[in-house]
Each structure stands twice: as structure tokens, then as C-alpha cells.
Coordinates of all heavy atoms in Angstrom, one line a residue:
G1 N -60.9 -43.9 -20.0 CA -61.4 -45.2 -20.7 C -62.6 -44.9 -21.6 O -63.2 -43.8 -21.7
F2 N -63.1 -46.0 -22.2 CA -64.3 -45.9 -23.0 C -64.8 -47.4 -23.3 O -64.1 -48.3 -23.0 CB -64.1 -45.2 -24.3 CG -62.8 -45.6 -25.0 CD1 -62.6 -46.7 -25.8 CD2 -61.6 -44.8 -24.8 CE1 -61.4 -47.0 -26.4 CE2 -60.4 -45.1 -25.3 CZ -60.3 -46.3 -26.1
N3 N -66.1 -47.4 -23.7 CA -66.7 -48.7 -23.9 C -66.4 -49.3 -25.2 O -65.9 -48.6 -26.1 CB -68.3 -48.6 -23.8 CG -68.7 -48.2 -22.4 OD1 -68.1 -48.6 -21.4 ND2 -69.7 -47.3 -22.3
K4 N -66.7 -50.6 -25.4 CA -66.3 -51.3 -26.7 C -67.0 -50.7 -27.9 O -66.5 -50.7 -29.0 CB -66.7 -52.8 -26.6 CG -65.7 -53.6 -25.7 CD -66.0 -55.1 -25.8 CE -64.9 -55.9 -25.1 NZ -65.1 -57.4 -25.2
D5 N -68.3 -50.2 -27.7 CA -69.0 -49.7 -28.8 C -68.4 -48.3 -29.2 O -68.9 -47.7 -30.2 CB -70.5 -49.5 -28.5 CG -70.8 -48.7 -27.2 OD1 -69.8 -48.2 -26.6 OD2 -71.9 -48.5 -26.9
Q6 N -67.4 -47.8 -28.5 CA -66.8 -46.5 -28.8 C -65.4 -46.7 -29.5 O -64.8 -45.7 -29.8 CB -66.7 -45.6 -27.6 CG -68.1 -45.2 -27.0 CD -67.9 -44.5 -25.7 OE1 -67.1 -44.9 -24.8 NE2 -68.6 -43.4 -25.5
H7 N -65.0 -47.9 -29.6 CA -63.6 -48.2 -30.1 C -63.4 -47.6 -31.5 O -62.4 -46.9 -31.8 CB -63.4 -49.7 -30.2 CG -63.1 -50.3 -28.9 ND1 -62.5 -51.5 -28.7 CD2 -63.2 -49.8 -27.6 CE1 -62.3 -51.8 -27.4 NE2 -62.8 -50.7 -26.7
K8 N -64.4 -47.8 -32.4 CA -64.2 -47.2 -33.8 C -64.3 -45.7 -33.7 O -63.6 -45.0 -34.5 CB -65.3 -47.7 -34.7 CG -65.2 -49.2 -35.0 CD -66.2 -49.6 -36.0 CE -66.1 -51.1 -36.4 NZ -67.1 -51.6 -37.3
L9 N -65.1 -45.1 -32.8 CA -65.2 -43.7 -32.8 C -63.9 -43.0 -32.4 O -63.6 -41.9 -32.9 CB -66.3 -43.4 -31.8 CG -66.8 -41.9 -31.7 CD1 -67.4 -41.5 -33.0 CD2 -67.8 -41.7 -30.6
V10 N -63.1 -43.6 -31.5 CA -61.9 -42.9 -31.0 C -60.9 -42.8 -32.1 O -60.0 -42.0 -32.0 CB -61.3 -43.6 -29.8 CG1 -62.3 -43.6 -28.6 CG2 -60.9 -45.1 -30.1
F11 N -60.9 -43.7 -33.1 CA -60.0 -43.6 -34.2 C -60.4 -42.8 -35.4 O -59.7 -42.6 -36.3 CB -59.7 -45.1 -34.7 CG -58.9 -45.9 -33.8 CD1 -59.5 -46.9 -33.1 CD2 -57.5 -45.6 -33.6 CE1 -58.7 -47.7 -32.2 CE2 -56.8 -46.4 -32.7 CZ -57.4 -47.4 -32.0
A12 N -61.6 -42.2 -35.3 CA -62.2 -41.4 -36.4 C -61.6 -40.0 -36.4 O -61.3 -39.5 -35.3 CB -63.7 -41.3 -36.4
E13 N -61.3 -39.4 -37.5 CA -60.8 -38.0 -37.6 C -61.8 -37.1 -37.0 O -63.0 -37.2 -37.2 CB -60.5 -37.7 -39.1 CG -59.4 -38.4 -39.7 CD -59.3 -38.1 -41.2 OE1 -59.8 -37.0 -41.6 OE2 -58.7 -38.8 -41.9
F14 N -61.3 -36.0 -36.3 CA -62.1 -35.0 -35.8 C -63.2 -35.5 -34.9 O -64.2 -34.9 -34.7 CB -62.8 -34.1 -36.9 CG -61.8 -33.7 -37.9 CD1 -61.8 -34.2 -39.2 CD2 -60.9 -32.7 -37.7 CE1 -60.9 -33.8 -40.2 CE2 -60.0 -32.3 -38.6 CZ -60.0 -32.8 -39.8
S15 N -63.0 -36.6 -34.3 CA -64.0 -37.3 -33.4 C -63.4 -37.4 -32.0 O -62.3 -37.9 -31.8 CB -64.4 -38.6 -33.9 OG -65.3 -39.2 -33.0
R16 N -64.1 -36.9 -31.0 CA -63.6 -37.0 -29.6 C -64.8 -37.3 -28.7 O -65.9 -36.8 -28.9 CB -63.0 -35.7 -29.1 CG -61.9 -35.2 -30.1 CD -61.3 -33.9 -29.6 NE -60.5 -34.0 -28.4 CZ -60.4 -33.1 -27.5 NH1 -61.1 -32.0 -27.6 NH2 -59.6 -33.3 -26.5
L17 N -64.6 -38.2 -27.7 CA -65.6 -38.5 -26.8 C -65.9 -37.3 -25.9 O -65.0 -36.5 -25.6 CB -65.2 -39.7 -25.9 CG -64.8 -41.0 -26.7 CD1 -64.5 -42.1 -25.8 CD2 -66.0 -41.4 -27.7
E18 N -67.2 -37.3 -25.4 CA -67.6 -36.0 -24.7 C -66.7 -35.8 -23.5 O -66.3 -34.6 -23.3 CB -69.1 -36.2 -24.3 CG -69.6 -35.0 -23.6 CD -71.1 -35.2 -23.2 OE1 -71.7 -36.2 -23.7 OE2 -71.6 -34.4 -22.5
R19 N -66.5 -36.8 -22.7 CA -65.7 -36.5 -21.5 C -64.3 -36.2 -21.8 O -63.7 -35.3 -21.2 CB -65.7 -37.8 -20.6 CG -65.1 -37.6 -19.2 CD -65.2 -38.8 -18.4 NE -64.5 -38.6 -17.1 CZ -64.2 -39.5 -16.2 NH1 -64.6 -40.8 -16.5 NH2 -63.6 -39.3 -15.1
G20 N -63.7 -36.8 -22.9 CA -62.4 -36.4 -23.3 C -62.2 -35.0 -23.7 O -61.3 -34.3 -23.5
A21 N -63.3 -34.5 -24.5 CA -63.3 -33.2 -25.0 C -63.3 -32.2 -23.8 O -62.8 -31.1 -24.0 CB -64.5 -33.0 -25.9
R22 N -63.9 -32.6 -22.7 CA -63.9 -31.6 -21.6 C -62.5 -31.6 -20.9 O -62.2 -30.6 -20.2 CB -65.0 -32.1 -20.6 CG -66.4 -31.9 -21.1 CD -67.4 -31.9 -19.9 NE -67.3 -33.2 -19.2 CZ -68.1 -34.2 -19.4 NH1 -69.0 -34.2 -20.4 NH2 -68.0 -35.3 -18.7
M23 N -61.7 -32.7 -21.0 CA -60.5 -32.8 -20.3 C -59.3 -32.1 -21.0 O -58.4 -31.6 -20.4 CB -60.1 -34.2 -20.0 CG -61.0 -34.9 -19.0 SD -60.4 -36.6 -18.6 CE -58.8 -36.2 -17.8
A24 N -59.3 -32.1 -22.3 CA -58.2 -31.6 -23.1 C -58.6 -31.0 -24.4 O -59.6 -31.5 -25.0 CB -57.2 -32.8 -23.3
Q25 N -57.9 -30.0 -24.9 CA -58.2 -29.4 -26.2 C -57.6 -30.3 -27.3 O -56.7 -31.1 -27.1 CB -57.6 -28.0 -26.3 CG -58.2 -27.1 -25.2 CD -57.6 -25.7 -25.3 OE1 -56.6 -25.5 -26.0 NE2 -58.3 -24.7 -24.7
G26 N -58.1 -30.0 -28.5 CA -57.5 -30.7 -29.7 C -58.6 -31.0 -30.7 O -59.8 -30.7 -30.5
L27 N -58.2 -31.6 -31.8 CA -59.1 -31.9 -32.9 C -59.4 -33.4 -33.0 O -60.1 -33.9 -33.8 CB -58.5 -31.5 -34.3 CG -58.4 -30.0 -34.4 CD1 -57.8 -29.7 -35.8 CD2 -59.8 -29.3 -34.3
G28 N -58.8 -34.2 -32.1 CA -59.0 -35.7 -32.1 C -58.3 -36.3 -33.3 O -58.9 -37.3 -33.9

């Protein structure tokens, strides 16, 4: 999951939340 202030960030290109980046590979 993630907080409301991170909603826009998860839809941005090449952007991944720190915990998500640790769980799985990819470019976001």
C-alpha cells in the first residue's frame, strides 16, 4: 500500500516507492 500523498507518484514514469523497489525489479 501507500499514503494519499503518494498517489500521483505511483503513476509517474520511472517512479517507484522505496519499499516497492526493494520487493520487485522494474522501471515503474
Side-chain angles (χ1 to χ4, degrees):
F2 39 85
N3 294 324
K4 283 188 175 181
D5 57 359
Q6 297 173 317
H7 282 196
K8 291 184 178 180
L9 189 62
V10 299
F11 289 106
E13 292 174 19
F14 309 107
S15 176
R16 306 177 72 212
L17 303 183
E18 181 179 352
R19 188 178 176 191
R22 293 197 300 267
M23 290 186 66
Q25 297 180 347
L27 294 180

